[in-house]
């Protein structure tokens, strides 16, 4: 059979260009992906660029140099040289990608979305869905819990009206690129998104007509229907009280929501079986089309006799509860993870959101959280008169033996996962971003280098590091990766840990070089020039054109390039909202952070099943790294002052 891959490079290149021109209309829908389209101001934003091939390959080599040995690096370098030969595979794929980009509003988002989320088979809790923990409330009664929740429902419906009017305040970049308008598209999917499981790939389902939420209480699911978008707060409260009472009445349904914790392929098979029944199908449809899921959880703090204990709960315990629900003996069954937003509120005042990550980024949900907290502080207007009856509908299920068995299996899996999570909250209060900015260093750059130093101190090596870089300056932009594991960072951390006592002046010079390099990477990544997305695009365009996968992408270095044993994200909030998520590999760490003026809050996670990780140890070492770095910066400042004093 004729194969384009058997032709010489230049001929193959010309043939593939011709094939692209003839067949580009037959490309998958992601050329103009429906899931990233919207109306409004997006037209004024530029499309993301396709980086130059030479620059991407140089940056790729830089990204692996500190994490693979010299022999492997030299092997990869030879593959890179072969890949970028004139008329070779790299040039062919680059040209095809540029032509593909010319047909799309955003060439990268479809590739990235599939690779990062929709084709990821792992279960959503811990592995994918982050939590956003709000300041703890002081509830003394269930009524106080429901009153707080009622206020959120009012706020959410007002926010929905704002989205429908396309009335969100335009956001602009801060820091590097300050003042540049940002893409607002993903905000408009907040109340219309559902991730449906698939055997090979999940599907995003959107609707813009919802007028109900789903409330889960004691594992029982209810729909609360609104006659309009402006219901009376007292009426909402009364309906929530009714739901709370109904959840205690027999017959009790099994915790069907627990099925959403399964791996995506397994949940897809169960989903198909569950949907064969008309009653179940109608209930699933109601869940798919709801605005969001409201999880009314029981007490988190309990004594042995089941009565509530002290109102103080450790931050790590509260964060863990939001991350996974603490197992099926607690509240893990009180969830439905496929919906974009779940608002979780316990009877003892723990509250926050769980987010399905494929629809949007953490920073947009964080802003939504802040608006809710501002709403609570400033709420003065009276609720409108009740102009229509709110209706409660208990969702019905017909559970066959296979589904009952599937619920048992899912129960075992989530309980095992809950026991595996090692979560630690570190509030570093020695200094914050005020001190860091005083050193004329970006707080993000500074903290990323602190994480590199910490990992080296604990393991005496660096690893591939992921840090979310927002591409929202581009039309329908999502995310790329700001890489922090560089040769410059390695030279610096080795000097900091050198037992031969490297002079402070040399440590400082190496630190400055690492800062300079990290700043350079930050800038070119947020400008759409990062290597991660570009390499993914080249790999995917080869698949789309039936071109044999290049050896570059089969290489051990590329696998290690994507083996993110350190997954990080800066999520700044003046309200000190804590955001967290699990590690993305079995022997790695998840680490989110919020730098405030005078302290920095970290949420660090790992798995107990790994014999090499420990969140507690990593946090303690990180605290030491931040103190070492302050000492280094302070010494350098003192050395700069001394000559001027002598001159006087």
């Amino acid at each position: 059979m004729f194969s384009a891959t058997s032709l010489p490079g230049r001929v193959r290149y010309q043939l593939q260009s011709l094939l692209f021109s003839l067949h580009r209309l037959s490309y998958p829908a992601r050329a103009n992906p429906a899931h990233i389209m919207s109306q409004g101001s997006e037209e004024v934003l530029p499309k993301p660029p396709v980086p130059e091939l030479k620059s991407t390959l140089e940056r790729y080599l830089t990204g692996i140099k500190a994490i693979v040995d010299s022999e492997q690096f030299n092997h990869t370098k030879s593959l890179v040289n072969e890949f970028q030969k004139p008329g070779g595979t790299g040039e062919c794929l680059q040209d095809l990608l540029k032509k593909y980009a010319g047909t799309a509003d955003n060439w990268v988002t479809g590739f990235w979305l599939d690779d990062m989320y929709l084709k990821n088979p792992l279960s959503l809790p811990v592995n994918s869905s982050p939590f956003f923990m709000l300041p703890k409330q002081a509830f003394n009664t269930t009524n106080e819990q429901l009153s707080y929740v009622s206020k959120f429902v009012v706020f959410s419906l007002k926010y929905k009206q704002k989205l429908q009017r396309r009335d969100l305040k335009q956001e602009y970049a801060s820091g590097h690129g300050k003042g540049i308008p940002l893409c607002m598209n993903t905000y408009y999917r907040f109340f219309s998104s559902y991730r449906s499981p698939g055997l090979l790939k999940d599907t995003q389902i959107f609707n813009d007509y919802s007028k109900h939420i789903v409330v889960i209480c004691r594992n029982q699911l209810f729909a609360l229907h609104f006659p309009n978008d402006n219901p009376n707060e007292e009426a909402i409260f009364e309906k929530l009280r009714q739901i709370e009472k109904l959840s205690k009445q027999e017959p009790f349904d099994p915790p069907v929501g627990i099925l959403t914790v399964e791996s995506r392929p397994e949940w897809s098979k169960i989903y198909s079986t569950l949907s064969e029944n008309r009653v179940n199908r109608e209930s699933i449809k109601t869940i798919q089309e709801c605005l969001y899921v409201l999880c009314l959880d029981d007490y988190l703090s309990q004594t042995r006799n089941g009565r509530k204990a002290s109102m103080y709960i450790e931050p790590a315990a509260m964060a863990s509860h939001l991350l996974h629900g603490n197992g099926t003996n607690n509240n893990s069954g009180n969830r439905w993870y496929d919906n974009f937003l779940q608002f979780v509120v316990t009877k003892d005042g723990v509250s926050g959101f769980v987010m399905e990550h494929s629809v949007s980024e953490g920073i947009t949900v964080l802003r939504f959280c802040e608006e809710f907290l501002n709403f609570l502080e400033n709420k003065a207007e009276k609720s409108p008169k009740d102009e229509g009856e709110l209706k409660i509908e208990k969702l019905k299920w017909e559970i066959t033996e296979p589904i009952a068995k599937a619920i048992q299996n899912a129960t075992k899996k989530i309980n095992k996962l809950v026991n595996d999570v090692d979560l630690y909250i570190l509030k570093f209060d020695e200094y914050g971003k005020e001190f860091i900015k005083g050193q004329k260093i970006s707080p993000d750059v500074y903290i990323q280098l602190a994480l590199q130093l910490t990992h080296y101190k604990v393991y005496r090596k660096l690893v591939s590091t992921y840090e979310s870089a927002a591409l929202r300056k581009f039309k329908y932009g999502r995310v790329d990766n700001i890489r922090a594991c560089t040769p410059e960072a390695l030279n610096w951390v080795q000097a900091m840990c050198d037992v031969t006592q490297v002079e402070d002046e040399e440590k400082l010079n190496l630190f400055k070089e690492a800062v300079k390099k990290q700043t350079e990477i930050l800038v070119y990544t947020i400008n759409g020039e990062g290597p991660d997305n570009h390499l993914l695009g080249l790999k995917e365009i080869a698949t789309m054109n039936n071109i044999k996968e290049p050896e570059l992408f089969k290489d051990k270095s590329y696998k290690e390039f994507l083996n993110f044993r350190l997954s990080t994200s800066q999520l700044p909030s003046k309200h000190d909202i804590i955001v967290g998520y699990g590690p993305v590999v079995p022997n790695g760490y998840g680490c989110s952070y919020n730098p405030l003026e005078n302290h920095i809050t970290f949420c660090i996670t790992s798995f107990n099943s790994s014999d090499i990780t420990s969140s507690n140890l990593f946090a303690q070492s990180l605290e030491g790294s931040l103190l070492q770095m302050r000492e280094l910066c302070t010494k350098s400042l003192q050395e700069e002052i001394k000559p001027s004093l002598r001159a006087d």
Side-chain angles (χ1 to χ4, degrees):
M1 181 179 288
F2 173 79
S3 172
T5 58
S6 65
L7 296 173
R10 173 59 66 179
V11 177
R12 183 169 69 248
Y13 167 75
Q14 293 172 342
L15 177 61
Q16 290 296 342
S17 295
L18 176 62
L19 287 173
F20 181 91
S21 299
L22 291 173
H23 298 295
R24 70 182 184 181
L25 292 178
S26 66
Y27 276 176
R30 61 183 169 196
N32 277 292
H35 52 259
I36 58 173
M37 296 295 289
S38 78
Q39 301 172 353
S41 62
E42 297 307 313
E43 284 68 24
V44 306
L45 298 178
K47 294 182 178 183
V50 177
E52 290 304 313
L53 183 62
K54 186 174 185 295
S55 296
T56 287
L57 294 175
E58 288 174 352
R59 289 164 181 168
Y60 170 56
L61 289 174
T62 297
I64 63 168
K65 192 169 186 179
I67 60 174
V68 300
D69 60 40
S70 57
E71 182 179 353
Q72 177 62 36
F73 179 79
N74 289 333
H75 173 70
T76 303
K77 194 172 182 180
S78 67
L79 292 178
V80 166
N81 291 336
E82 180 67 25
F83 185 75
Q84 64 182 342
K85 279 183 178 178
T89 306
E91 186 177 313
C92 168
L93 296 179
Q94 177 75 351
D95 190 64
L96 289 169
L97 185 59
K98 284 184 175 180
K99 290 178 180 177
Y100 175 77
T103 71
D105 288 311
N106 185 310
W107 66 267
V108 68
T109 294
F111 292 137
W112 170 87
L113 183 63
D114 283 357
D115 182 71
M116 181 69 77
Y117 296 113
L118 300 184
K119 290 184 178 180
N120 189 333
L122 294 177
S123 60
L124 298 185
V126 179
N127 299 304
S128 179
S129 297
F131 70 84
F132 300 75
M133 186 167 76
L134 303 180
K136 187 178 179 298
Q137 303 297 306
F139 303 147
N140 292 307
T141 64
T142 298
N143 281 354
E144 290 181 2
Q145 175 198 24
L146 299 182
S147 176
Y148 175 77
V149 172
S150 301
K151 289 178 173 59
F152 170 73
V153 175
V154 170
F155 162 78
S156 68
L157 294 175
K158 288 179 180 294
Y159 200 87
K160 175 175 175 273
Q161 292 175 40
K162 190 185 295 187
L163 295 178
Q164 289 173 329
R165 296 193 304 266
R166 293 289 193 221
D167 200 22
L168 278 188
K169 185 178 179 181
Q170 175 63 49
E171 293 178 355
Y172 296 89
S174 59
H176 295 281
K178 186 175 182 179
I180 294 175
L182 300 176
C183 175
M184 304 292 287
N185 183 65
T186 59
Y187 280 106
Y188 295 100
R189 294 301 190 190
F190 268 35
F191 300 122
S192 62
S193 304
Y194 185 88
R195 178 168 166 180
S196 183
L199 281 175
L200 300 177
K201 174 184 170 181
D202 287 359
T203 303
Q204 291 177 317
I205 299 174
F206 301 109
N207 74 79
D208 294 309
Y209 50 81
S210 297
K211 285 195 174 181
H212 70 276
I213 64 174
V214 166
V215 183
I216 313 182
C217 186
R218 296 183 177 85
N219 302 330
Q220 311 301 295
L221 288 92
F222 303 84
L224 177 58
H225 297 270
F226 305 111
N228 53 61
D229 287 338
N230 202 25
N232 179 275
E233 183 180 317
E234 288 73 22
I236 295 170
F237 172 78
E238 287 302 323
K239 291 301 180 185
L240 291 176
R241 278 185 49 172
Q242 288 182 37
I243 287 173
E244 208 271 339
K245 291 177 181 177
L246 287 170
S247 71
K248 301 175 184 177
Q249 296 179 7
E250 296 184 0
F252 298 120
D253 292 318
V256 182
I258 204 71
L259 295 171
T260 65
V261 310
E262 274 285 6
S263 70
R264 303 311 288 173
E266 183 63 24
W267 172 215
S268 175
K269 289 185 281 187
I270 300 167
Y271 191 91
S272 296
T273 303
L274 191 65
S275 301
E276 290 172 359
N277 179 281
R278 182 188 60 81
V279 172
N280 297 338
R281 194 162 56 246
E282 287 299 314
S283 292
I284 290 173
K285 186 172 184 289
T286 300
I287 298 168
Q288 284 181 342
E289 295 177 352
C290 74
L291 295 170
Y292 54 86
V293 174
L294 175 59
C295 307
L296 299 179
D297 283 6
D298 211 330
Y299 291 107
L300 176 56
S301 56
Q302 292 185 342
T303 59
R304 289 182 180 178
N305 62 8
R307 300 180 64 185
K308 65 179 181 178
S310 166
M311 292 303 289
Y312 177 75
I313 308 172
E314 290 287 344
M318 294 191 289
S320 296
H321 181 84
L322 291 172
L323 183 63
H324 48 56
N326 282 324
T328 51
N329 286 333
N330 292 289
N331 293 281
S332 290
N334 223 45
R335 304 285 184 271
W336 198 279
Y337 281 98
D338 292 356
N339 291 83
F340 172 60
L341 278 180
Q342 297 182 91
F343 185 44
V344 179
V345 186
T346 73
K347 287 182 180 293
D348 40 10
V350 178
S351 71
F353 296 89
V354 181
M355 163 194 174
E356 193 287 292
H357 215 330
S358 73
V359 175
S360 190
E361 271 57 70
I363 196 69
T364 58
V365 176
L366 192 59
R367 297 293 168 259
F368 176 73
C369 294
E370 291 176 331
E371 289 215 28
F372 172 51
L373 294 178
N374 291 337
F375 173 82
L376 291 177
E377 291 176 0
N378 302 326
K379 187 176 182 299
E381 60 185 85
K382 293 183 178 179
S383 291
K385 292 182 179 179
D386 190 3
E387 296 181 355
E389 185 181 357
L390 283 71
K391 295 181 180 179
I392 297 171
E393 170 195 4
K394 184 174 183 183
L395 303 191
K396 298 176 182 178
W397 306 97
E398 293 189 2
I399 306 300
T400 60
E401 188 174 337
I403 296 301
K405 182 66 175 176
I407 290 173
Q408 290 177 7
N409 291 337
T411 296
K412 293 175 184 176
K413 289 180 182 178
I414 189 61
N415 288 339
K416 182 179 179 181
L417 183 60
V418 165
N419 291 329
D420 200 15
V421 175
D422 179 14
L423 186 149
Y424 192 96
I425 302 292
L426 170 64
K427 185 173 181 180
F428 178 79
D429 54 11
E430 292 290 330
Y431 62 89
K433 65 181 180 181
E434 181 181 355
F435 168 78
I436 299 170
K437 286 181 176 180
Q439 313 308 306
K440 302 190 185 315
I441 302 173
S442 157
D444 188 63
V445 167
Y446 186 97
I447 294 170
Q448 282 295 317
L449 289 173
L451 292 169
Q452 296 302 305
L453 176 58
T454 301
H455 197 281
Y456 189 82
K457 285 195 304 182
V458 176
Y459 298 103
R460 285 301 185 263
K461 66 177 182 179
L462 297 186
V463 293
S464 280
T465 304
Y466 188 94
E467 184 200 0
S468 297
L471 299 181
R472 291 176 61 205
K473 66 183 289 185
F474 300 109
K475 194 173 186 179
Y476 311 126
R478 293 293 300 271
V479 165
D480 203 347
N481 176 21
I482 304 171
R483 289 192 168 265
C485 181
T486 64
E488 289 82 357
L490 180 59
N491 291 338
W492 171 63
V493 299
Q494 285 176 332
M496 292 292 284
C497 299
D498 195 328
V499 294
T500 61
Q501 298 299 311
V502 177
E503 293 293 329
D504 285 342
E505 184 178 357
E506 184 179 352
K507 290 179 183 178
L508 183 62
N509 289 334
L510 291 171
F511 179 57
K512 289 178 179 177
E513 287 300 312
V515 167
K516 180 180 177 183
K517 186 65 178 179
Q518 188 63 22
T519 305
E520 174 194 327
I521 292 171
L522 185 155
V523 171
Y524 72 58
T525 304
I526 62 176
N527 285 327
E529 300 282 347
D532 287 59
N533 282 351
H534 188 197
L535 289 171
L536 174 63
L538 295 170
K539 183 173 181 288
E540 291 298 315
I541 209 75
T543 302
M544 288 169 61
N545 285 273
N546 297 315
I547 297 174
K548 183 181 178 182
E549 184 178 32
E551 291 299 317
L552 186 69
F553 300 119
K554 300 177 184 178
D555 183 35
K556 178 182 176 182
S557 292
Y558 190 63
K559 292 184 175 74
E560 196 57 41
F561 188 66
L562 301 178
N563 183 24
F564 298 114
R565 280 181 273 183
L566 196 51
S567 177
T568 73
S569 186
Q570 178 184 208
L571 290 149
S573 167
K574 293 179 181 178
H575 290 276
D576 207 4
I577 297 167
I578 296 177
V579 185
Y581 47 83
V584 298
V585 296
N587 58 347
Y589 292 96
C591 182
S592 58
Y593 51 94
N594 179 12
L596 289 102
E597 292 302 316
N598 297 304
H599 73 272
I600 309 169
T601 302
F602 296 88
C603 179
I604 300 163
T605 58
S606 60
F607 290 121
N608 289 315
S609 54
S610 170
D611 57 5
I612 66 169
T613 59
S614 166
S615 298
N616 186 10
L617 174 62
F618 194 89
Q620 290 178 359
S621 183
L622 175 57
E623 194 167 17
S625 297
L626 292 166
L627 293 173
Q628 281 180 273
M629 292 169 71
R630 180 177 66 176
E631 184 180 9
L632 182 65
C633 292
T634 304
K635 280 184 178 180
S636 70
L637 182 62
Q638 291 172 345
E639 292 301 317
E640 289 175 7
I641 293 172
K642 284 179 183 178
S644 63
L645 290 175
R646 286 194 292 269
D648 290 343

